[in-house]
Amino acid sequence: MLKDIFLMMNHELSLGLVLLMLLLLKVSGKVLSIDGMLRLVNGLLLLNLAAGLLPGDEGYLFHDMFHSNSLVSLEKNILNLGTLIISLQAYPWLSRHEHPEEFYFLLLSTLLGMFFMISSNNLLMFYLGLELSTIPLAALANFDLDKRQSSEAALKFIISSAFSSGLLLLGISLVYGTTGSLGFAEIVQKLDDSPLQLFAFILLLAGFGFKISVVPFHLWTADVYEGSPVVVTSYLSVISKGSIFFVLVPVLFTVFKPLADSWYHMLVILSVLTMIIGNLFALRQDSIKRMLAFSSITQVGFILVGVSGSSQTGAAAVVYFVLVYIFSNLGAFGVVALVSAFTGKEKIEDYNGLYSTNPFLSWVLAISLFSLAGIPPTAGFFGKFFLLMAGAEQGNYALITVAALNMIVSLYYYLRIIRAVFMEKSPGPIPPLTIPVLSRFGLLLCAIGIALFGLWGWIYHYIYSLSSPF
Amino acid sequence: MNLSLLIWVPLATALAVALSGGWKQARIIALSGAVVQLLLAAYFLWAFVEARNAGNGSLMLLESSRPWFAPLHINFHIGVDGISMAMVMLTAFVVLAGVLVSWSESYRSREFFFLLTFLAAGAYGFFISLDLFTLFFFLELAVIPKFLLIGIWGSGKRQYSALKLALMLMGGSALVFVGILAIYFNTRTGQGFHSFDILEVARQGLPPSVQKFFFPFIFTGFGIFGALFPFHTWVPDGHSSAPTAASMFLAGISMKLGGYGCLRVATWLMPLAAHDYSGIIVALSVIAILYGAFATMMQTDLKYINAYSSVSHCGFVLLGIGMLTQTSLSGAVLQMVSHGLMTALFFASIGMIYSRTHTRILSRMGGLLKVMPFISTVFVIAGLCSLGLPGLSGFAAEVTVLMGSWQNPDTWYRLATILACCSIVVTAVYILRAVGQTIMGPVPEKNDFILQDASWNEKWAAGILVFGILIVGVTPFLLTKLTGPGTELIMQQVEKAISIK
């Protein structure tokens, strides 16, 4: 039993260890300078990532509440990697902050919550993990302590999360009422398309929809993203969303498989709405953070196209895309975070002529944006291609056409930034920034990931081999 | 030697350019890369002809295939037939000339040569792909470098043009994307897998309903790249705003991606639909030919003249494809090669003139023949080729297309052929006018700039392209013999499809 726990919960345990060390570090007073502390934490996160890569074990724990397999391990590793990159990019901002230990404590708690959520095999466990991953995030959104906008963002986030949790809970109780069980394995046997169950499912889907900001449940997204510190925004838009997708896919594909006919149509409608509305709003933004926020809504729409494919290729494409999306979006947000931390500028026109002063940042930003837009040879191209390909498997070419046209619209606003950076001339461009080593390392990781993980077919092959058939 | 070297060499060149120390180093690397590409292309041409002469009759030669995304049965499958070989040679010529013309580009020149070489890699990859996924990959690969080249180094309303070009071309590729997914899911190999493999799809044939529904997607998608009316509007803006080398690449290579795609993917893989829709294609291409020609008459800017005339000339490519006879198809290929060389030469000479006179407006120029004899001569050659002077490539190509078109016995198609013929007169008017105003007459007095004749690099660039034009013009049968089996194959596919119907 104990050996099982060590092998199956290796990610949770190693992350718990890091949390414990942070706590000890905090209570022991100021033994380390802020700089030293940040380096130590980044080192620990790197170790944590490495520990996660060690082979674990497959199986079930705690009366089938918790499960683990290679795909789940891979997903946790992906989240670990993303968190490490974010932590590297947070360096210039945190080094001037008063409470870096608390930041990491909250951040890693949410990550732990996500791990439990991904591993859940029971709706209660899922809910527990979800709440653990949500509540500290609200505190994080408020982490620019002297900015009013930041606390506004936190308040909006906590209210909308509470609301969506309410929906989820109602859905869960209805599921329990109609099937008499909360375990995934039992629920699937007792689902029979009755109206009450369908209603329960819709509530659950709406709860999920809030978390991944699917239109029409997206209204909180832009304000929260804009008000939060850039680092938290990138965490919200990438890691938090990615983890929900990691749960959503198996829940839809295995637990609610009997309702597949119903949720297929729901997904199609939601994804079309999400892509179009996200794009329409992104087109009009002047703030680069808001634009990235809306563009991340659009990206969710694309992911839903892949989910709607309901196949092994679909499941693989979603995981693959989230991995690619982590690199792409974090690359873009990383540059924005750096510029924002040093100059406080967050408007698109502030980026005019960035290339003449900061060529490295410009190229990283360009590669990331191209990857977000799905331009070859970046990994984003492959990610999008496989998502839409999975969607096309159902023979719904109208959906694919809508998605493909939306890619063109999204290309427009990504190219707007490229235009500002490379083509516009500015009387006072952002001065040459001295990029800290840790941030540079984080950005390089993103660029390498974008360049490598697409062209190198092995990654996709590996993810596909782990994904379970529909 | 493996055919994939045609992709690796430009990519390696691009990388070396990016890592190079300064702009002088960068341009030397870019030039040597371009020379190596030309030698490689020539070698592959030689190997190809040798193999054909030795009696190797397989569809594609120099084939190689390796799995890329194995679970989806996506392979990196490359190989060439005569048509692709002709396109590869064209690309190699234009790339070399383009690098030579930009020899003195000193503003961000490392980035400039990097993007040029990257673009070349995309074009080579596209022409040698035998897998729809790879083909699509390279098609899109070649778009963004154009956007950056025009937006950063262009002139006039460069940002607007760059954005318009990028969005329209990506729109085209989005249509292609939907089409190839439909092809993929309607193909089943022997083991029950779907396939992107062009040869496999051609062997199996697609169900008529699928062809009928998705042909417009693919043809329009590639058509946007090849200036299909009414989606040609990116052509004038894009070409006129682009820096010289980018204009050459754009008109000489990129627009050929469209024509090649229409032929290889749309017509070959969906022969029945190609036959059914041929009326619309012919109508649109005749409109493009005439509209392009008349629009050119109204232009006063040399680059716009060539850009609009490109719309007209590329109309012949699509006309040849739409007419669906053996001769018209090989005429279309001939026209692609001819137009690629000719328009590259045209843009090169316009670029040389502009860099000296700092104007491209016809009325402000004159008498250039006296002060810059070499450049003016090149300009005249390009003009005469565009006009269709026998002995130059334009004549051979357009005559072949028109002859092939006439072979289509349908009355309406004959009418279309006659209308297309009429455009030649219009072409003569605008070309002679442009050439006359530019190089004849007195030199305007206000000319306080120094009009030097071509430098060594410009002479070489022009020489290479003129050489190509002459080869195609004097011995077009070499090219038709090279592309013959390829076009025959497409025709067989069409005839088979019609007979089954």
Side-chain angles (χ1 to χ4, degrees):
Chain A
M1 179 66 190
L2 203 59
K3 187 175 149 233
D4 279 353
I5 289 185
F6 272 110
L7 280 177
M8 285 183 218
M9 300 186 66
N10 51 351
H11 290 89
E12 287 78 5
L13 290 174
S14 94
L15 193 60
L17 213 60
V18 176
L19 276 169
L20 197 65
M21 287 168 79
L22 274 176
L23 201 61
L24 289 176
L25 203 68
K26 179 68 187 175
V27 293
S28 63
K30 296 262 176 212
V31 254
L32 284 171
S33 62
I34 286 190
D35 217 39
M37 208 292 295
L38 289 176
R39 273 181 210 164
L40 177 70
V41 176
N42 279 308
L44 285 177
L45 284 177
L46 191 64
L47 280 180
N48 176 45
L49 175 67
L53 293 173
L54 297 175
D57 204 355
E58 303 203 351
Y60 295 87
L61 283 176
F62 314 127
H63 304 286
D64 290 357
M65 284 280 227
F66 182 99
H67 82 120
S68 176
N69 59 34
S70 327
L71 181 64
V72 167
S73 300
L74 175 74
E75 289 169 347
K76 288 176 184 167
N77 287 331
I78 292 175
L79 296 183
N80 265 337
L81 175 70
T83 310
L84 172 67
I85 295 177
I86 287 178
S87 150
L88 290 170
Q89 290 171 349
Y91 177 78
W93 173 66
L94 278 182
S95 59
R96 293 175 215 174
H97 205 282
E98 289 167 21
H99 304 285
E101 293 96 343
E102 284 86 340
F103 175 81
Y104 276 108
F105 204 78
L106 291 168
L107 187 81
L108 298 183
S109 305
T110 66
L111 188 62
L112 191 63
M114 290 171 198
F115 284 0
F116 278 111
M117 184 171 76
I118 296 174
S119 272
S120 63
N121 195 38
N122 183 301
L123 281 174
L124 269 186
M125 189 64 163
F126 161 72
Y127 184 72
L128 193 72
L130 185 73
E131 288 304 289
L132 180 54
S133 73
T134 309
I135 296 170
L137 262 180
L140 282 177
N142 193 13
F143 229 68
D144 261 342
L145 295 172
D146 45 359
K147 276 196 195 164
R148 287 178 74 113
Q149 251 194 335
S150 190
S151 37
E152 181 196 327
L155 200 63
K156 281 186 176 159
F157 184 69
I158 197 80
I159 290 175
S160 67
S161 310
F163 187 65
S164 72
S165 298
L167 289 181
L168 269 176
L169 269 185
L170 183 55
I172 291 176
S173 22
L174 285 180
V175 168
Y176 184 66
T178 53
T179 63
S181 168
L182 286 171
F184 286 175
E186 292 88 47
I187 292 175
V188 66
Q189 289 163 3
K190 292 182 185 147
L191 281 181
D192 55 4
D193 233 354
S194 72
L196 193 57
Q197 282 179 358
L198 211 56
F199 181 60
F201 172 73
I202 290 173
L203 287 173
L204 281 175
L205 192 66
F208 273 115
F210 263 105
K211 305 286 180 193
I212 51 180
S213 54
V214 168
V215 175
F217 312 112
H218 67 291
L219 293 163
W220 58 276
T221 318
D223 288 341
V224 173
Y225 280 19
E226 196 186 15
S228 311
V230 185
V231 178
V232 179
T233 308
S234 54
Y235 188 78
L236 270 171
S237 76
V238 180
I239 309 293
S240 166
K241 275 189 190 169
S243 68
I244 305 270
F245 272 111
F246 289 155
V247 195
L248 180 65
V249 171
V251 166
L252 284 182
F253 282 18
T254 55
V255 183
F256 287 99
K257 193 175 176 184
L259 308 180
D261 286 341
S262 316
W263 58 249
Y264 173 71
H265 295 289
M266 295 181 204
L267 283 187
V268 169
I269 293 168
L270 288 178
S271 71
V272 168
L273 274 179
T274 309
M275 285 186 284
I276 293 178
I277 305 275
N279 264 341
L280 286 183
F281 280 99
L283 281 175
R284 302 159 47 104
Q285 303 306 321
D286 291 322
S287 147
I288 196 164
K289 256 167 86 182
R290 268 184 99 86
M291 193 223 82
L292 285 174
F294 280 111
S295 96
S296 81
I297 295 183
T298 311
Q299 305 278 357
V300 167
F302 289 123
I303 302 182
L304 286 183
V305 175
V307 178
S308 80
S310 6
S311 61
Q312 187 173 2
T313 40
V318 171
V319 178
Y320 179 69
F321 186 82
V322 170
L323 172 63
V324 168
Y325 183 63
I326 283 181
F327 288 122
S328 329
N329 219 10
L330 290 188
F333 269 120
V335 175
V336 175
L338 259 178
V339 172
S340 158
F342 282 112
T343 66
K345 292 180 175 174
E346 288 177 359
K347 285 220 173 308
I348 293 181
E349 63 198 36
D350 295 331
Y351 282 73
N352 285 356
L354 182 72
Y355 185 64
S356 53
T357 49
N358 292 290
F360 173 73
L361 287 184
S362 305
W363 277 119
V364 174
L365 184 61
I367 294 173
S368 314
L369 290 177
F370 286 145
S371 184
L372 285 175
I375 306 280
T378 59
F381 168 79
F382 299 93
K384 285 257 171 70
F385 195 102
F386 296 151
L387 276 182
L388 300 196
M389 192 167 158
E393 206 165 340
Q394 296 284 328
N396 192 343
Y397 291 101
L399 175 65
I400 304 306
T401 312
V402 171
L405 293 179
N406 269 297
M407 280 181 68
I408 310 305
V409 179
S410 68
L411 180 67
Y412 171 75
Y413 52 76
Y414 292 126
L415 287 186
R416 258 180 76 198
I417 301 182
I418 303 285
R419 183 173 74 177
V421 169
F422 286 91
M423 300 172 193
E424 296 281 1
K425 296 199 168 53
S426 163
I430 289 163
L433 306 176
T434 39
I435 310 166
V437 180
L438 288 180
S439 304
R440 188 179 282 266
F441 180 58
L443 291 175
L444 272 179
L445 267 183
C446 292
I448 291 171
I450 290 171
L452 197 66
F453 278 31
L455 292 170
W456 191 26
W458 180 83
I459 305 280
Y460 179 81
H461 196 169
Y462 179 65
I463 292 176
Y464 184 88
S465 68
L466 296 183
S467 307
S468 50
F470 179 63
Chain B
M1 270 197 279
N2 191 304
L3 193 61
S4 61
L5 275 177
L6 275 178
I7 302 164
W8 292 118
V9 167
L11 281 184
T13 316
L15 194 68
V17 167
L19 299 176
S20 65
W23 71 285
K24 294 202 164 159
Q25 226 178 336
R27 64 183 190 184
I28 290 175
I29 296 171
L31 180 63
S32 30
V35 172
V36 174
Q37 286 161 40
L38 184 61
L39 293 178
L40 258 183
Y43 167 78
F44 286 125
L45 179 66
W46 175 78
F48 180 85
V49 174
E50 280 290 288
R52 274 279 186 261
N53 287 343
N56 188 339
S58 49
L59 292 184
M60 297 288 163
L61 295 181
L62 304 166
E63 250 186 281
S64 70
S65 174
R66 48 176 306 167
W68 194 1
F69 292 96
L72 304 172
H73 311 286
I74 291 172
N75 298 314
F76 189 77
H77 185 184
I78 51 175
V80 282
D81 68 350
I83 305 176
S84 0
M85 209 56 243
M87 292 297 141
V88 167
M89 282 310 289
L90 167 70
T91 311
F93 267 86
V94 176
V95 169
L96 181 54
V99 171
L100 278 169
V101 163
S102 346
W103 192 248
S104 47
E105 178 70 63
S106 57
Y107 174 64
R108 292 185 185 171
S109 70
R110 257 194 318 164
E111 291 85 339
F112 184 82
F113 286 114
F114 172 77
L115 291 171
L116 272 192
T117 329
F118 202 71
L119 184 51
Y124 285 119
F126 179 84
F127 289 131
I128 61 175
S129 294
L130 288 181
D131 183 277
L132 288 171
F133 180 85
T134 344
L135 185 109
F136 180 72
F137 174 80
F138 285 116
L139 179 72
E140 286 212 331
L141 191 68
V143 174
I144 291 301
K146 289 178 228 167
F147 166 76
L148 291 172
L149 280 170
I150 296 175
I152 301 178
W153 291 273
S155 56
K157 39 178 190 174
R158 56 194 168 94
Q159 297 188 3
Y160 164 80
S161 309
L163 212 51
K164 184 171 178 181
L165 172 133
L167 293 177
M168 284 192 75
L169 293 189
M170 288 311 260
S173 73
L175 293 177
V176 172
F177 170 69
V178 178
I180 62 170
L181 281 185
I183 293 180
Y184 176 79
F185 284 111
N186 284 292
T187 313
R188 278 205 186 275
T189 61
Q191 297 89 35
F193 301 133
H194 302 302
S195 174
F196 274 124
D197 197 301
I198 294 183
L199 298 181
E200 180 67 35
V201 179
R203 200 180 53 72
Q204 284 187 19
L206 292 164
S209 59
V210 175
Q211 292 193 25
K212 189 113 188 147
F213 196 79
F214 289 102
F215 181 83
F217 281 80
I218 298 223
F219 196 89
T220 318
F222 281 121
I224 294 176
F225 279 80
L228 173 74
F229 185 87
F231 305 108
H232 64 282
T233 50
W234 63 271
V235 178
D237 288 323
H239 285 64
S240 53
S241 304
T244 304
S247 299
M248 291 165 68
F249 274 42
L250 205 55
I253 306 171
S254 296
M255 287 173 78
K256 307 302 167 286
L257 303 184
Y260 180 83
C262 285
L263 198 61
R264 171 76 79 220
V265 183
T267 312
W268 192 22
L269 301 186
M270 304 179 159
L272 187 63
H275 178 255
D276 289 353
Y277 284 101
S278 66
I280 300 176
I281 300 171
V282 167
L284 288 179
S285 50
V286 169
I287 295 177
I289 291 171
L290 291 175
Y291 166 81
F294 280 111
T296 317
M297 293 243 289
M298 306 303 296
Q299 304 304 319
T300 53
D301 180 317
L302 277 179
K303 271 199 158 181
Y304 270 101
I305 289 183
N306 195 24
Y308 272 108
S309 89
S310 284
V311 174
S312 174
H313 286 301
C314 282
F316 277 99
V317 176
L318 297 175
L319 181 73
I321 295 173
M323 283 295 180
L324 283 181
T325 66
Q326 164 74 36
T327 319
S328 75
L329 285 186
S330 65
V333 178
L334 209 56
Q335 173 72 348
M336 280 198 264
V337 176
S338 152
H339 177 256
L341 293 168
M342 178 264 286
T343 199
L345 184 66
F346 222 144
F347 275 121
S349 59
I350 293 171
M352 294 176 206
I353 293 174
Y354 179 67
S355 67
R356 289 162 174 82
T357 62
H358 304 287
T359 179
R360 298 188 306 242
I361 306 299
L362 277 182
S363 53
R364 295 197 201 138
M365 279 187 279
L368 293 183
L369 189 60
K370 290 171 204 153
V371 275
M372 305 189 293
F374 184 87
I375 296 178
S376 306
T377 313
V378 170
F379 185 64
V380 173
I381 295 176
L384 292 180
C385 181
S386 166
L387 173 154
L389 189 78
L392 300 177
S393 64
F395 172 76
E398 281 176 19
V399 161
T400 318
V401 172
L402 291 173
M403 264 166 42
S405 306
W406 194 255
Q407 286 171 3
N408 195 323
D410 186 283
T411 319
W412 289 104
Y413 287 55
R414 289 253 159 108
L415 183 68
T417 314
I418 295 171
L419 283 172
C421 274
C422 296
S423 79
I424 292 178
V425 183
V426 188
T427 310
V429 173
Y430 66 72
I431 290 292
L432 291 177
R433 196 179 55 126
V435 170
Q437 285 199 6
T438 319
I439 66 166
M440 304 294 184
V443 184
E445 283 173 14
K446 277 195 290 179
N447 275 353
D448 47 356
F449 29 78
I450 312 148
L451 296 176
Q452 279 174 331
D453 209 354
S455 53
W456 67 270
N457 55 309
E458 292 170 332
K459 282 184 179 161
W460 271 100
I464 292 165
L465 292 172
V466 171
F467 173 73
I469 288 180
L470 282 174
I471 293 275
V472 180
V474 177
T475 59
F477 50 86
L478 286 182
L479 198 61
T480 29
K481 194 176 157 218
L482 179 72
T483 61
T487 49
E488 245 168 64
L489 197 72
I490 296 173
M491 267 323 286
Q492 280 167 12
Q493 197 84 358
V494 173
E495 276 154 16
K496 200 171 86 187
I498 300 169
S499 67
I500 292 174
K501 185 188 171 194

